[in-house]
Amino acid sequence: MSIAIKTPYEIEKMRIAGKLAADVLEMIEAHVKVGVTTAELDRICADYTAEHNALSAPLNYGADNNGDGGFPKSICTSVNHVVCHGIPSEQTLQDGDIVNIDITVKISFDDPDTAESEKTYFHGDTSKMFLIGDVTPENRRLCRITQESLYAAIKKVKPGNTFADIGTTIQKYIKKAGRYGIVKDFCGHGIGTVFHEEPQILHYKNADNRKMKAGMIFTIEPMINLGKGGTVLDKDDGWTAYTVDGKNSAQWEHTILVTDTGCEILTLRSEEKDIKRIMHN
Ligand code: MF3
Ligand code: CO
Ligand code: CO
């Protein structure tokens, strides 16, 4: 299988999906504070997404043919030592917590009378860390260097560079920052009318020498731990991934389009003032 080159039509729709995903993250910020439950954040994001004529892609994602085992909520909320795929619950956010909120929306542009099974959905996928109240310097730094490693990787996205350049850049950046663990059990991914498609984007040194080409769209979403890089899956829910040693983890994610001269960040937020949406790398 090869890596899709999106058509101008598909790119236009992916821009809209990416913008909505970024808008959800901007919208939820005011609600992310001490005492709120992650289930409340899930409901607010799901409602906002529905009001914008889109669906939350995580809901029931990965279900089997009987409709069982899919992700049970509309967003992922990963608090402290949860690496990713945390399930919104009655857990309240506490002073000092760090929480990743990961939003994936999907939008159909088909006629409303199109049968559900015939609809095509375009996906936008993005996440960021929220710092709750008084966060320790160690945790603040973890969040910051993880975000910076994402930006360092985005600066390598241009035609002719390889996918290995992304992982190598992240690993170099993190190694220079100190003794952190890079998560290897989860990766970024191609994205389009399918939520997770080729290629897998590894966030560590690797030998994927395939070249990036204009029109490819994929996520970069490094997960960095204060301790070891290993993860363990929750035995009961089958989704929640914890750090193996119980230390905290951070993650940031953008959906990126490769352009002729560099890339375009489809999920850029207005708070990212120092980062250009269109980069000539
Ligand atoms: N948004 C996640 C990603 O970045 C995937 C979540 S899948 C879910 O790829 F089922 F856990 F929601
Ligand atoms: Co993703
Ligand atoms: Co995501």
Side-chain angles (χ1 to χ4, degrees):
M1 279 292 289
S2 57
I3 303 167
I5 306 293
K6 267 64 178 181
T7 65
Y9 172 85
E10 292 171 318
I11 289 168
E12 175 194 314
K13 301 311 180 202
M14 287 297 285
R15 243 184 224 119
I16 296 169
K19 171 74 165 70
L20 178 61
D23 287 348
V24 177
L25 273 186
E26 290 185 340
M27 176 280 303
I28 201 61
E29 171 120 55
H31 302 274
V32 186
K33 49 188 182 203
V34 173
V36 74
T37 68
T38 51
E40 289 175 77
L41 300 176
D42 177 73
R43 180 186 53 78
I44 297 165
C45 290
D47 288 351
Y48 182 93
T49 301
E51 282 159 18
H52 290 78
N53 303 313
L55 295 175
S56 303
L59 189 62
N60 286 322
Y61 180 76
D64 63 20
N65 291 335
N66 301 319
D68 296 325
F71 192 78
K73 295 284 183 179
S74 295
I75 66 172
C76 297
T77 51
S78 302
V79 183
N80 295 334
H81 65 295
V82 175
V83 174
C84 63
H85 303 167
I87 300 173
S89 71
E90 294 310 313
Q91 175 185 4
T92 55
L93 295 180
Q94 306 291 323
D95 187 56
D97 283 350
I98 58 171
V99 54
N100 174 277
I101 299 185
D102 191 339
I103 302 294
T104 312
V105 301
K106 55 178 195 175
I107 314 180
S108 160
F109 298 90
D110 297 302
D111 293 335
D113 57 356
T114 306
E116 186 57 36
S117 61
E118 300 294 314
K119 281 186 183 167
T120 300
Y121 286 96
F122 292 87
H123 294 75
D125 189 6
T126 186
S127 81
K128 66 169 278 191
M129 298 303 295
F130 292 89
L131 283 61
I132 311 301
D134 204 3
V135 171
T136 65
E138 184 183 46
N139 282 307
R140 283 182 184 279
R141 185 165 194 274
L142 171 69
C143 294
R144 177 172 59 79
I145 63 118
T146 304
Q147 183 180 26
E148 287 169 358
S149 78
L150 169 60
Y151 292 146
I154 291 173
K155 288 178 185 146
K156 299 289 172 171
V157 176
K158 67 169 179 184
N161 279 1
T162 68
F163 289 101
D165 291 327
I166 292 172
T168 304
T169 298
I170 291 169
Q171 182 161 330
K172 263 195 201 152
Y173 192 89
I174 294 301
K175 192 156 182 239
K176 226 177 99 191
R179 290 187 49 161
Y180 294 94
I182 300 180
V183 173
K184 299 187 173 180
D185 296 338
F186 300 92
C187 55
H189 49 93
I191 183 167
T193 59
V194 173
F195 189 168
H196 296 105
E197 62 183 28
E198 273 206 88
Q200 295 194 9
I201 306 291
L202 305 181
H203 303 118
Y204 54 94
K205 195 164 182 287
N206 68 85
D208 186 347
N209 288 322
R210 290 176 294 179
K211 287 181 164 53
M212 299 180 219
K213 292 186 185 137
M216 291 179 176
I217 300 181
F218 50 84
T219 73
I220 306 177
E221 47 184 299
M223 286 145 272
I224 307 298
N225 299 347
L226 278 180
K228 294 184 165 62
T231 68
V232 284
L233 223 50
D234 188 288
K235 284 185 189 62
D236 298 319
D237 68 39
W239 282 102
T240 313
Y242 306 97
T243 57
V244 67
D245 56 12
K247 295 192 177 174
N248 279 358
S249 183
Q251 179 178 28
W252 296 75
E253 175 177 24
H254 272 311
T255 299
I256 314 287
L257 162 72
V258 185
T259 64
D260 288 331
T261 57
C263 68
E264 180 175 338
I265 305 174
L266 300 182
T267 47
L268 195 74
R269 299 179 303 283
S270 45
E271 69 181 353
E272 296 174 290
K273 317 175 212 50
D274 299 336
I275 308 295
K276 288 207 160 54
R277 175 185 176 84
I278 295 173
M279 297 215 191
H280 301 285
N281 291 325

